[in-house]
Amino acid sequence: MPARLTRLIPRTTRARRRTVQAVMAGAVLALLPSTWMHTAAAGKLRTTADVPARDVAVVFGAGLWNGRPTPYLAHRLDTAAELYRTGKVRVLLVTGDNSRTAYDEPSAMRAYLTARGVPDGRIVSDYAGFDTWDSCVRARKVFGVDRAVLVTQDFHIKRAVALCGRAGVDAYGVGVPEPHDRTWYYGTTRELFAAGKASLDAALRPDPQFLGPAEKGVTEALASPPGRP
């Protein structure tokens, strides 16, 4: 073994014990955010068939390709459309990034849903859902949503349910299953790191990047006739 590495190894039994304890403590701390998410989402995950009915479904953005929803976002929207068609929800709140003119997730999500039969009057757009926490807080504080069904991929749904719960939204989550391809593995791995930020957001409860005034879009959509164009 190189001398440099040898010098890094504790020489006494007591020192080795402390090193092992420090490593174990670090591992436990690293897993705490994920443990919190799993605990917060326990009993809140459902399928499209058994999710309790709610007035509103919140659909989180997942990127665009050439101005259209990515496959993962399209699958979320397909699931949301199914929830609407089966009467599980009455209004779809689509939340995503529109931080620049050339990139507009909510409008692309609306166009996709209306092309699949969801009335335009039953879709409400949140143009400042820049991340999961922002979307949850804005759903509650801007759009007045206190109960909802959340729609996102299965690897993201626990974080969404946990954060929305912390933001004051009593939510059930429908996780959209995906083949275990490269994108799925990337998303699953990313969740391990995103859990840390999520736990901080839950603890500190910062304001979203953009909060803005309250909007009546959800209330008006619920009051409108189902088939309004």
Side-chain angles (χ1 to χ4, degrees):
M1 180 180 295
R4 182 178 299 176
L5 293 179
T6 302
R7 287 196 297 268
L8 296 176
I9 299 175
R11 295 183 178 182
T12 66
T13 301
R14 185 177 181 181
R16 293 191 186 109
R17 185 183 299 119
R18 287 180 175 177
T19 300
V20 171
Q21 290 173 342
V23 171
M24 292 178 65
V28 169
L29 289 174
L31 291 173
L32 281 178
S34 293
T35 302
W36 163 73
M37 287 195 320
H38 283 265
T39 302
K44 292 286 191 175
L45 305 184
R46 296 288 191 273
T47 67
T48 53
D50 64 12
V51 68
R54 290 284 189 267
D55 282 341
V56 181
V58 179
V59 191
F60 297 86
L64 303 177
W65 282 352
N66 298 321
R68 297 181 180 180
T70 60
Y72 270 39
L73 179 52
H75 297 163
R76 297 181 188 188
L77 296 167
D78 290 337
T79 300
E82 179 182 350
L83 290 170
Y84 177 81
R85 285 194 296 267
T86 57
K88 291 287 187 176
V89 300
R90 299 169 56 203
V91 169
L92 305 181
L93 174 60
V94 294
T95 175
D97 187 351
N98 181 213
S99 57
R100 58 190 188 276
T101 304
Y103 191 86
D104 186 349
E105 279 187 308
S107 293
M109 295 163 76
R110 177 186 291 271
Y112 186 96
L113 288 167
T114 56
R116 282 149 186 82
V118 179
D120 186 74
R122 290 290 176 167
I123 304 168
V124 179
S125 298
D126 173 13
Y127 295 97
F130 301 128
D131 62 17
T132 305
W133 174 250
D134 282 14
S135 292
C136 290
V137 174
R138 284 177 55 80
R140 180 70 186 93
K141 291 187 175 182
V142 175
F143 295 95
V145 176
D146 56 12
R147 289 169 19 118
V149 176
L150 311 181
V151 182
T152 183
Q153 261 67 38
D154 52 5
F155 54 75
H156 175 227
I157 193 62
K158 292 183 180 69
R159 179 158 60 98
V161 169
L163 285 176
C164 277
R166 187 62 174 158
V169 181
D170 177 18
Y172 283 91
V174 175
V176 181
E178 299 286 352
H180 290 190
D181 55 12
R182 183 170 59 184
T183 303
W184 186 91
Y185 282 110
Y186 168 78
T188 301
T189 302
R190 181 177 179 274
E191 285 302 304
L192 297 176
F193 298 95
K197 179 182 180 301
S199 63
L200 287 175
D201 285 338
L204 302 176
R205 292 194 283 185
D207 282 337
Q209 183 175 340
F210 179 79
L211 185 60
E215 298 185 19
K216 298 180 179 179
V218 170
T219 302
E220 292 174 349
L222 288 171
S224 68
R228 191 184 74 179

